[in-house]
């Protein structure tokens, strides 16, 4: 299950085991609620539990980036395994997302 | 060796994980590497998701209690057909829908092109299928549905795109 937490000015989004279109719509909906109601500057996506992601995951990250980038916010990806890092690289997302170990 | 399977399921997002798991299980007799399995699962997921949200325009799925989630748009009736063939160490996948079809296939296959940006779609579906499989073929006409055919040789152990 996805999990949301606000730490300082960051929204931490813990992604579920499998990120596909079915789960993505829930995650976007809830993340946007936090972005709207809380004082969030940066978004951190935590891939610790994630074993599968397709282009829907890219859509989640791109959408959130567009919402916060105009206010100087940054998007981070943490705990991404090899496969997730590969997907981030192929999609070109590593240009806008900082991937931290 | 030749081995074939056919699956038909309702075009709802709940079935996306079922479809990719089924193909992963089917191909497991060829002893694929974890990377190959991950590639196949991603490609199948992209093709099936496309059929569901673009072919039949089913944006919502069903929630835990059978309710339509996350929005209240109608769930359209339709089936996605998934055929797989294992032959000479090559996996052939065919994902077929009878949905609304694609007008301009070349444009649809362009990376980042999407007709549904408001739904947080990235437009990377076909790009991923191309990157993760060896061959990709798309057949479609407006109103006639779409068929996506993909091929991948199993057991080559190649790690394409690895830059570590």
């Amino acid at each position: 299950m996805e999990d949301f937490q606000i730490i300082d000015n960051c929204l931490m989004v813990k992604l579920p085991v499998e990120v596909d279109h079915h789960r993505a719509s829930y995650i976007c909906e809830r993340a946007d609620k936090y972005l709207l109601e809380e004082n969030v500057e940066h978004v951190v996506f935590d891939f610790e539990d994630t074993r599968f992601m397709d282009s829907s995951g890219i859509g989640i990250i791109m959408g959130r980036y567009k919402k916060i980038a105009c206010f100087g916010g940054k998007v981070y990806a943490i705990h991404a395994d090899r496969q997730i890092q590969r997907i981030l690289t192929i999609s070109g997302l590593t240009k806008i997302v900082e991937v931290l170990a | 060796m030749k081995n074939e399977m056919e699956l038909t399921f309702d075009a709802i997002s709940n079935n996306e994980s079922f479809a990719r798991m089924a193909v992963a299980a089917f191909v497991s007799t060829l002893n694929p590497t974890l990377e190959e399995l991950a590639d196949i699962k991603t490609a199948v997921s992209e093709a099936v998701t496309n059929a569901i949200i673009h072919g039949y325009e089913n944006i919502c799925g069903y929630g835990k209690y059978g309710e339509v989630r996350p929005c209240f748009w109608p769930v359209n009736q339709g089936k996605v057909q998934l055929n797989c063939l294992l032959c000479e160490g090559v996996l052939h996948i065919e994902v077929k829908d009878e949905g609304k079809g694609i007008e301009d296939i070349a444009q649809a296959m362009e990376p980042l092109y999407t007709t549904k940006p408001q739904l947080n779609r990235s437009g990377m579906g076909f790009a991923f299928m191309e990157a993760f499989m060896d061959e990709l073929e798309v057949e479609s006409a407006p109103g006639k549905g779409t068929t996506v055919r993909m091929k991948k040789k199993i057991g080559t152990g190649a790690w394409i795109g690895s830059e570590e």
Side-chain angles (χ1 to χ4, degrees):
Chain A
M1 272 301 228
E2 68 273 11
D3 188 34
F4 296 81
Q5 229 183 319
I6 305 262
I7 300 172
D8 295 330
N9 56 349
C10 289
L11 172 65
M12 302 279 295
V13 182
K14 182 135 196 203
L15 294 164
V17 179
E18 302 217 310
V19 183
D20 61 7
H21 154 234
H22 185 63
R23 286 239 65 88
S25 22
Y26 293 70
I27 299 167
C28 289
E29 195 184 68
R30 289 191 58 196
D32 284 353
K33 206 164 175 285
Y34 279 99
L35 292 183
L36 204 69
E37 289 170 4
E38 309 278 340
N39 188 20
V40 174
E41 198 177 341
H42 308 295
V43 180
V44 181
F45 290 98
D46 186 349
F47 289 95
E48 195 179 3
D49 299 337
T50 308
R51 295 290 158 266
F52 174 86
M53 181 170 88
D54 64 15
S55 70
S56 313
I58 302 300
I60 301 179
I61 300 175
M62 264 169 51
R64 285 346 97 204
Y65 172 80
K66 282 184 193 156
K67 291 210 162 128
I68 59 164
C70 46
F71 303 109
K74 276 192 169 169
V75 175
Y76 300 90
I78 57 170
H79 300 132
D81 68 15
R82 225 174 136 183
Q83 181 66 16
I84 306 285
Q85 286 196 22
R86 195 164 160 237
I87 287 184
L88 294 174
T89 309
I90 289 176
S91 61
L93 222 62
T94 39
K95 287 181 194 128
I96 57 168
V97 174
E98 203 159 323
V99 183
L100 307 171
Chain B
M1 185 194 96
K2 190 169 159 275
N3 187 8
E4 245 181 304
M5 75 110 163
E6 284 179 22
L7 263 184
T8 309
F9 50 87
D10 276 341
I12 49 169
S13 62
N14 308 59
N15 283 331
E16 287 157 10
S17 66
F18 161 67
R20 60 176 180 266
M21 303 277 190
V23 178
F26 177 70
V27 81
S28 66
T29 51
L30 286 189
N31 216 1
T33 61
L34 283 176
E35 290 80 38
E36 284 168 338
L37 266 186
D39 289 356
I40 293 164
K41 278 166 75 176
T42 308
V44 171
S45 192
E46 300 296 351
V48 170
T49 304
N50 274 352
I52 294 171
I53 58 178
H54 298 290
Y56 295 109
E57 304 201 285
N58 271 343
I59 284 88
C60 316
Y62 292 105
K64 228 194 319 191
Y65 308 106
E67 80 281 17
V68 178
R69 287 259 16 226
C71 38
F72 293 98
W73 293 4
V75 175
N76 300 317
Q77 292 300 310
K79 305 269 185 204
V80 178
Q81 208 181 332
L82 173 65
N83 302 330
C84 289
L85 165 70
L86 281 176
C87 187
E88 317 280 335
V90 178
L91 169 69
H92 301 244
I93 304 172
E94 188 180 74
V95 179
K96 211 171 169 176
D97 70 67
E98 285 168 357
K100 69 170 196 175
I102 306 170
E103 250 167 63
D104 187 341
I105 296 175
Q107 188 183 39
M109 289 176 79
E110 264 173 40
L112 297 176
Y113 175 81
T114 178
T115 51
K116 294 189 166 50
Q118 75 280 17
L119 295 173
N120 291 302
R121 304 305 308 164
S122 60
M124 295 300 291
F126 281 124
F128 276 12
M129 288 183 236
E130 261 180 329
F132 293 134
M133 303 296 279
D134 299 339
E135 273 177 55
L136 170 68
E137 198 188 299
V138 184
E139 203 184 290
S140 184
K144 295 256 160 67
T146 302
T147 305
V148 173
R149 289 187 196 92
M150 302 181 276
K151 272 187 214 173
K152 189 179 180 70
K153 185 149 179 58
I154 309 297
T156 53
W159 183 260
I160 308 155
S162 173
E163 287 170 329
E164 284 164 49

